[in-house]
Amino acid sequence: MDANWLVYHPNPKKPDLTLPVGAVDAHCHVFGPADEFPFAPGRKYTPCDAGKDKLFALRDFLGFQRNVIVQATCHGKDNRALVDALKAAGDLARGIATVGPDITMDELREMDRVGVRGVRFNFVKRLVDDTPKEVFLGIAEKIKTLGWHIVVYFEAQDLEELEPFLKQLPTIIVVDHMGRPDVTKGVDHPDFQRFVRLMAENENIWSKVTCPERLTVTGPPYDDVIDFGAAIVEQFPDRVIWGTDWPHPNMKSHMPDDGVLVDYISRITRTPEQLQKLLVDNPMRLYWAK
Ligand code: 0GY
């Protein structure tokens, strides 16, 4: 692994928050193990191994019942580690893959059979090389026939340029980590309000209210991110999902305690109904409808 790589927390605390029955960790990854599933040649980072067994043990320890595993960029377009984890989990996991324009419908249908329900389009420059928008649009046309959706990852400063493209996408869109706002600017800043408006004007756009550990400036327990998550949950209770982001790729400031992250959920949800929608009803509708 990279010399400055931070390994996931070895013994997270037991959350104080009791999760509702059927709670879904809707954003997490598997890395390798590399001797079984080698990392991609063109990757931008080399992580520690963090395989499916560790992920499923964490799921049980924290009180989740299901996972949505998102293909990590260190595996490129080689979805074998993801597919292996989905097969091992049976009905308890769904997946988001990364594919190229040459993907065939037969390959997509095979992934659908093991639980893949969408693809991720990544615009974060430190993670991936640029992909032309036409390529993404071509992939979108293919995957929409399976009823899949698209997860998009971008940074706040890129939203303005991306908006016309996002509006062209023909499926549900799930935005990672609330579009990565600069939390020092506050909820009312035009940049975050642009994201709020995007969701308000486009009913197919959902948000993961995830990754306070990435967005924070003040550190755990992430007080400076709460207003952002709470605002999105309050305004769009039926279009939000949440996940741990285990094993937390590319964390540099600190490695979060996953139990502390779960407790953060209770601070961005104001009612039991919001909690139930965020952790159960919404991810089940999006990922387990078929
Ligand atoms: C995240 C965030 C990051 C990395 C990846 O696939 C990935 O490599 O998603 C990041 O570095 O910000 O969502 O896990």
Side-chain angles (χ1 to χ4, degrees), residues 27 29 31 45 70-74 120 122 124 126-127 153 176-177 180 211 214 245 248-250:
H27 184 87
H29 310 283
F31 298 154
Y45 63 85
V70 178
Q71 170 77 351
T73 58
C74 56
R120 194 185 201 198
N122 198 325
V124 178
R126 70 185 159 77
L127 291 173
Y153 192 20
D176 277 337
H177 321 331
R180 293 198 62 122
C211 283
R214 287 186 193 283
D245 195 31
H248 310 288
N250 301 307

Side-chain angles (χ1 to χ4, degrees), residues 17-265:
L17 175 66
T18 304
L19 298 180
V21 174
V24 181
D25 175 352
H27 184 87
C28 51
H29 310 283
V30 287
F31 298 154
D35 54 6
E36 203 178 343
F37 303 108
F39 299 120
R43 65 189 178 279
K44 306 285 186 191
Y45 63 85
T46 303
C48 62
D49 280 339
K52 60 181 185 291
D53 298 339
K54 292 267 189 309
L55 175 65
F56 300 153
L58 181 76
R59 171 196 70 197
D60 297 343
F61 175 78
L62 295 175
F64 289 99
Q65 292 189 352
R66 295 182 169 84
N67 294 113
V68 179
I69 306 172
V70 178
Q71 170 77 351
T73 58
C74 56
H75 280 295
K77 298 182 184 72
D78 176 353
N79 295 285
R80 278 178 298 170
L82 168 68
V83 166
D84 172 72
L86 294 177
K87 284 181 175 165
D91 196 45
L92 296 184
R94 294 289 188 257
I96 293 292
T98 298
V99 303
D102 50 345
I103 192 85
T104 66
M105 284 310 298
D106 278 350
E107 288 169 317
L108 290 174
R109 272 190 286 268
E110 178 58 25
M111 284 197 271
D112 183 75
R113 210 179 52 74
V114 299
V116 174
R117 293 292 180 268
V119 290
R120 194 185 201 198
F121 295 169
N122 198 325
F123 298 92
V124 178
K125 295 175 186 67
R126 70 185 159 77
L127 291 173
V128 286
D129 295 330
D130 212 28
T131 298
K133 304 250 178 17
E134 306 74 59
V135 169
F136 281 144
L137 289 171
I139 294 169
E141 285 304 314
K142 286 185 184 172
I143 63 103
K144 82 171 185 196
T145 63
L146 295 166
W148 287 12
H149 62 271
I150 296 165
V151 172
V152 287
Y153 192 20
F154 57 82
E155 319 227 73
Q157 68 269 17
D158 297 326
L159 176 56
E160 185 172 4
E161 187 265 319
L162 277 174
E163 265 199 64
F165 167 74
L166 295 179
K167 287 177 182 163
Q168 277 179 279
L169 293 176
T171 67
I172 287 178
I173 300 168
V174 184
V175 177
D176 277 337
H177 321 331
M178 302 183 288
R180 293 198 62 122
D182 176 346
V183 299
T184 64
K185 291 179 173 168
V187 168
D188 295 331
H189 189 277
D191 285 357
F192 190 63
Q193 286 307 312
R194 176 185 293 279
F195 179 65
V196 173
R197 199 171 58 247
L198 182 77
M199 285 194 72
E201 290 173 357
N202 298 276
E203 292 206 339
N204 64 324
I205 299 188
W206 294 41
S207 177
K208 293 181 194 168
V209 286
T210 33
C211 283
E213 76 283 7
R214 287 186 193 283
L215 305 176
T216 188
V217 175
T218 56
Y222 315 120
D223 294 355
D224 55 341
V225 193
I226 289 170
D227 288 351
F228 293 81
I232 298 292
V233 170
E234 180 75 23
Q235 195 169 341
F236 309 105
D238 298 309
R239 288 190 264 147
V240 284
I241 56 178
W242 191 88
T244 54
D245 195 31
W246 188 90
H248 310 288
N250 301 307
M251 286 300 295
K252 299 283 184 264
S253 57
H254 70 293
M255 180 47 60
D257 177 325
D258 298 279
V260 171
L261 285 176
V262 169
D263 287 340
Y264 168 85
I265 304 170

